[in-house]
């Protein structure tokens, strides 16, 4: 999945409070979730909600310093307000202060265990976390995306991201099941609801089936070595490539898939001709071993004739698979 898709729901950058020693944010991160707070008045609630709306707007327009300031002010009014912690975490993450941002989002989760977007924000954070290896990044991403899907299974963005993680983990059947469910349920109204559109979904499905085909049959361009076991592998690879072509959305993607299909076609023809040549050559070989010179000459001519016939293109075979 393109990284710009994942950035759509992300927020914020702002003037970092970490630049100040013993900042109020560092202090609040150390406040336990069980600390008792005075009741918040209705006027304060209204003020907090207004600040968070402003923070959200700033994030949308990439004014992250202002967003962070609004989140800080909201937290000063009520440190137990989950959405304030979430906004604060998003702003810090966009500023590159990942550790503080991660801690702030986790504070939001502690205060509201049922909000799916908080888990999803952490899942996106772990996708390209600089301090995690690929395996750990994928493991954490899986965990928090699954938690988000569990709390809001109707959100297509969460489902799409989960399918993408399955794809990255080479769990192709699971990824295909999710992508096809989204594709079958897609309507025009969904184009404006989620962080991806139908072309993004089709692109990812084409990539999925292309890789499923490569898993069965491909050639190493560097060495020229072919990797497939049997005719059945080639048949299965071709089926995957054809499905990939049906979802392709751009010329570059179509060209790559068509090249893969042509490779499989050539390989299938090579496998067929090799087997046919070996079978038909057994008769003249026997004649060469057990008959007199006349028959030996005839057998030699037969071998030459068979060799010529085997290099003739099998037009009927090709036409069967072109469709």
């Amino acid at each position: 999945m393109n990284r710009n898709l994942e950035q759509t729901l992300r927020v914020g950058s702002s003037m970092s409070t970490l630049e100040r020693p013993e900042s109020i944010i560092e202090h609040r991160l150390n406040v336990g979730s069980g600390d008792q707070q005075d009741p918040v008045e209705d006027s304060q609630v209204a003020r907090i909600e207004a600040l968070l709306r402003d923070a959200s707007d700033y994030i949308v327009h990439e004014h992250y310093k202002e967003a962070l300031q609004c989140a800080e002010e909201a937290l000063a009014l009520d440190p137990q307000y989950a959405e304030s912690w979430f906004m604060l975490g998003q702003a810090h993450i966009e500023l590159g202060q990942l550790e503080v941002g991660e801690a702030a989002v986790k504070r939001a989760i502690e205060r509201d265990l049922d909000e799916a977007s908080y888990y999803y924000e952490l899942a996106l954070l772990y996708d390209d976390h600089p301090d995690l290896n690929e395996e750990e990044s994928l493991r954490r991403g899986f965990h928090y995306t699954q938690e988000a899907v569990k709390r809001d299974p109707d959100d297509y963005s969460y489902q799409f991201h989960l399918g993408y993680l399955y794809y990255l983990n080479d769990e192709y059947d699971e990824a295909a099941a999710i992508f096809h469910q989204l594709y079958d349920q897609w309507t025009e109204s969904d184009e404006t609801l989620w962080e991806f559109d139908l072309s993004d979904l089709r692109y990812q499905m084409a990539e999925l089936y292309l890789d499923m085909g490569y898993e069965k049959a491909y050639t190493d361009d560097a060495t020229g070595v072919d990797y497939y076991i049997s005719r059945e592998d080639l048949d299965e690879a071709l089926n995957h490539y054809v499905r990939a072509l049906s979802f392709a959305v751009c010329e570059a993607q179509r060209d790559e898939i068509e090249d893969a299909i042509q490779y499989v076609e050539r390989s299938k023809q090579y496998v067929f001709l090799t087997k046919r040549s070996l079978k038909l050559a057994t008769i003249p070989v026997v004649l060469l071993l057990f008959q007199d010179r006349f028959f030996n000459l005839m057998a030699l001519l037969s071998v030459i004739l068979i060799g010529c016939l085997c290099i003739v293109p099998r037009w009927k075979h090709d036409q069967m698979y072109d469709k």
Side-chain angles (χ1 to χ4, degrees):
M1 180 172 62
N2 295 335
R3 189 60 190 161
N4 61 345
L5 290 180
E6 298 176 355
Q7 292 291 347
T8 306
L9 293 186
R10 290 270 184 105
V11 264
S13 167
S14 166
M15 185 173 181
S16 172
T17 56
L18 294 184
E19 297 172 356
R20 306 193 304 267
E22 299 297 327
S23 70
I24 59 172
I25 298 307
E26 288 176 313
H27 171 72
R28 288 180 186 133
L29 285 174
N30 294 320
V31 175
S33 59
D35 289 355
Q36 298 297 319
Q37 302 293 329
D38 295 332
V40 180
E41 298 178 357
D42 291 342
S43 59
Q44 285 184 314
V45 171
R47 176 58 180 160
I48 290 171
E49 292 178 349
L51 286 167
L52 294 179
R53 284 194 298 270
D54 290 343
S56 180
D57 289 339
Y58 283 134
I59 284 167
V60 169
H61 295 94
E62 300 183 0
H63 299 305
Y64 303 127
K65 295 179 181 180
E66 292 81 357
L68 188 57
Q69 290 170 355
C70 289
E72 289 180 353
E73 190 174 341
L75 279 171
L77 294 173
D78 180 11
Q80 296 301 318
Y81 211 83
E83 188 69 14
S84 301
W85 285 103
F86 180 59
M87 287 290 181
L88 182 76
Q90 287 182 314
H92 277 297
I93 288 170
E94 290 300 331
L95 285 169
Q97 298 154 0
L98 303 184
E99 185 176 352
V100 177
E102 177 185 4
V105 176
K106 288 182 176 179
R107 292 295 194 203
I109 291 175
E110 290 174 1
R111 289 157 175 78
D112 187 353
L113 297 174
D114 297 324
E115 178 52 53
S117 63
Y118 300 169
Y119 297 90
Y120 186 57
E121 179 67 22
L122 288 180
L124 296 180
L125 169 63
Y126 294 133
D127 275 352
D128 293 319
H129 200 292
D131 297 330
L132 299 176
N133 59 40
E134 184 176 348
E135 182 180 354
E136 181 63 17
S137 176
L138 190 59
R139 186 190 68 80
R140 294 191 189 187
F142 258 121
H143 170 72
Y144 283 102
T145 305
Q146 287 171 333
E147 290 297 320
V149 170
K150 185 189 304 182
R151 286 160 176 79
D152 189 0
D154 296 326
D155 190 301
Y156 283 10
S157 296
Y158 304 161
Q159 293 278 0
F160 182 63
H161 191 70
L162 182 60
Y164 175 67
L165 292 178
Y166 276 124
Y167 164 71
L168 289 182
N169 203 41
D170 297 334
E171 297 180 68
Y172 295 144
D173 290 339
E174 291 81 358
I178 292 175
F179 289 153
H180 274 286
Q181 182 179 11
L182 294 175
Y183 186 78
D184 293 341
Q185 296 175 353
W186 194 269
T187 63
E188 290 185 4
S189 62
D190 291 316
E191 291 287 340
T192 58
L193 291 178
W194 314 114
E195 64 176 42
F196 66 98
D197 57 26
L198 185 58
S199 63
D200 297 319
L201 178 58
R202 289 174 60 91
Y203 180 90
Q204 195 59 58
M205 293 175 76
E207 290 296 301
L208 169 65
Y209 282 112
L210 182 61
D211 284 354
M212 291 175 74
Y214 284 149
E215 195 175 50
K216 291 296 181 180
Y218 73 98
T219 185
D220 189 327
D221 293 334
T223 62
V225 176
D226 295 322
Y227 291 90
Y228 56 84
I229 304 300
S230 65
R231 169 70 177 271
E232 289 70 25
D233 287 331
L234 292 170
D235 287 335
E236 192 170 348
L238 181 62
N239 289 335
H240 291 317
Y241 292 148
V242 170
R243 297 194 77 176
L245 190 61
S246 70
F247 292 111
V249 297
C250 62
E251 287 301 319
Q253 197 176 46
R254 290 190 186 93
D255 290 343
E256 183 178 2
I257 297 170
E258 288 173 354
D259 288 344
I261 291 175
Q262 292 175 11
Y263 164 73
V264 169
E265 286 291 352
R266 290 194 300 269
S267 299
K268 286 165 71 70
Q269 182 169 312
Y270 172 78
V271 170
F272 172 83
L273 294 177
T274 301
K275 290 182 177 179
R276 183 171 69 169
S277 299
L278 291 174
K279 289 180 180 178
L280 294 179
T282 54
I283 295 177
V285 167
V286 171
L287 293 176
L288 282 170
L289 293 175
F290 297 104
Q291 302 299 325
D292 57 24
R293 291 182 179 179
F294 173 76
F295 286 103
N296 287 345
L297 179 61
M298 294 299 294
L300 181 59
L301 293 175
S302 299
V303 171
I304 295 174
L305 178 61
I306 291 169
C308 292
L309 291 175
C310 284
I311 64 174
V312 176
R314 296 180 59 234
W315 301 113
K316 185 175 181 181
H317 171 270
D318 292 339
Q319 291 170 1
M320 287 172 58
Y321 286 96
D322 281 344
K323 63 185 180 181

